[in-house]
């Protein structure tokens, strides 16, 4: 499970623009799924790799061309 800051670092290292829309699109293309969990009374958002995603192979794009 990754939080937004960890996903953001991965995206910027792969050449994705540093804004939530571009990062959100990139996350979805990479096959991640948004999961909301409540921990200690606070709702937090995590991203997990969706095992049913078509894009879990090496052929998925990792950066803008």
């Amino acid at each position: 499970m990754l939080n937004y800051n960890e996903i953001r670092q991965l995206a910027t290292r792969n050449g994705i623009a540093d804004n939530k829309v571009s990062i959100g699109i990139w996350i979805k293309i990479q096959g991640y799924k948004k999961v909301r969990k409540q921990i200690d009374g606070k709702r937090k958002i995590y991203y997990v790799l969706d095992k049913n995603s078509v894009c879990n192979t090496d052929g998925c794009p990792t950066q803008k061309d």
Side-chain angles (χ1 to χ4, degrees):
M1 261 195 292
L2 302 171
N3 63 24
Y4 179 76
N5 288 330
E6 294 166 336
I7 290 286
R8 183 175 166 238
Q9 289 173 355
L10 281 173
T12 52
R13 273 191 246 136
N14 283 300
I16 305 303
D18 192 10
N19 61 61
K20 66 181 180 179
V21 173
S22 295
I23 293 171
I25 292 169
W26 181 79
I27 290 169
K28 190 167 248 185
I29 290 171
Q30 295 302 311
Y32 283 89
K33 184 176 172 183
K34 186 190 277 189
V35 176
R36 292 177 184 93
K37 290 197 170 254
Q38 187 165 345
I39 300 172
D40 296 332
K42 294 185 179 185
R43 187 165 300 273
K44 297 184 181 188
I45 298 174
Y46 295 99
Y47 299 89
V48 293
L49 198 56
D50 187 12
K51 52 186 162 176
N52 295 328
S53 175
V54 176
C55 203
N56 285 339
T57 62
D58 292 331
C60 294
T62 56
Q63 61 183 341
K64 289 183 180 179
D65 292 330

